[in-house]
Amino acid sequence: MATADSWKKVPLHSTQLCEGVATNTMAREWRCKWSEENEKMSLTQCQKVLDNIIVPQLREVHGLSSVQRVVCGDCQDFKVICKMGLDAFDDWASVNFSPEAEVIEALLAIEGISKIETQTYSIMPVLSAGRH
């Protein structure tokens, strides 16, 4: 049953990237490398950026379907993936993926953080619960 907020979660349009490759969702990724120093304090600070800047500011972004965090202990990656339907992605891009500038500024201020990068890509589930 659809709710009043269903439009925020379900991408309505799709696009064909090439023959046999379609997408209806895009992602913006913010990532950096953290350090083992000071009992992984830089990783702790990255989590605070997620909790205190990213989540509160993205909570009401039109079309946002999910925010995921990826942490790799082997390669010391910290990644935040913001996923949304095509319907809203261009709107978000037009405001420079806000709060991206604030996120990058906060990450730059953390001792032990390096290789801060951003990337945009299409993202689609291939196999998940309810998808065969």
Side-chain angles (χ1 to χ4, degrees), residues 58-79:
L58 290 182
R59 195 172 299 280
E60 298 301 321
V61 169
H62 164 74
L64 184 72
S65 59
S66 70
V67 176
Q68 296 174 294
R69 184 204 67 206
V70 178
V71 176
C72 178
D74 289 338
C75 59
Q76 297 174 315
D77 280 340
F78 180 87
K79 301 178 181 185

Side-chain angles (χ1 to χ4, degrees), residues 28-39:
R28 182 69 171 179
E29 180 176 287
W30 302 316
R31 64 179 174 258
C32 63
K33 299 285 188 180
W34 51 272
S35 167
E36 293 273 349
E37 297 169 6
N38 291 334
E39 298 180 12

Side-chain angles (χ1 to χ4, degrees), residues 12-85:
L12 301 176
H13 303 100
S14 66
T15 189
Q16 196 80 12
L17 301 175
C18 66
E19 185 177 336
V21 182
T23 190
N24 66 352
T25 48
M26 296 294 291
R28 182 69 171 179
E29 180 176 287
W30 302 316
R31 64 179 174 258
C32 63
K33 299 285 188 180
W34 51 272
S35 167
E36 293 273 349
E37 297 169 6
N38 291 334
E39 298 180 12
K40 303 177 186 176
M41 183 56 71
S42 58
L43 178 58
T44 299
Q45 294 301 312
C46 284
Q47 183 64 42
K48 288 182 180 180
V49 170
L50 177 63
D51 294 340
N52 299 331
I53 298 173
I54 298 171
V55 170
Q57 291 193 40
L58 290 182
R59 195 172 299 280
E60 298 301 321
V61 169
H62 164 74
L64 184 72
S65 59
S66 70
V67 176
Q68 296 174 294
R69 184 204 67 206
V70 178
V71 176
C72 178
D74 289 338
C75 59
Q76 297 174 315
D77 280 340
F78 180 87
K79 301 178 181 185
V80 177
I81 302 166
C82 308
K83 180 178 153 185
M84 65 178 51

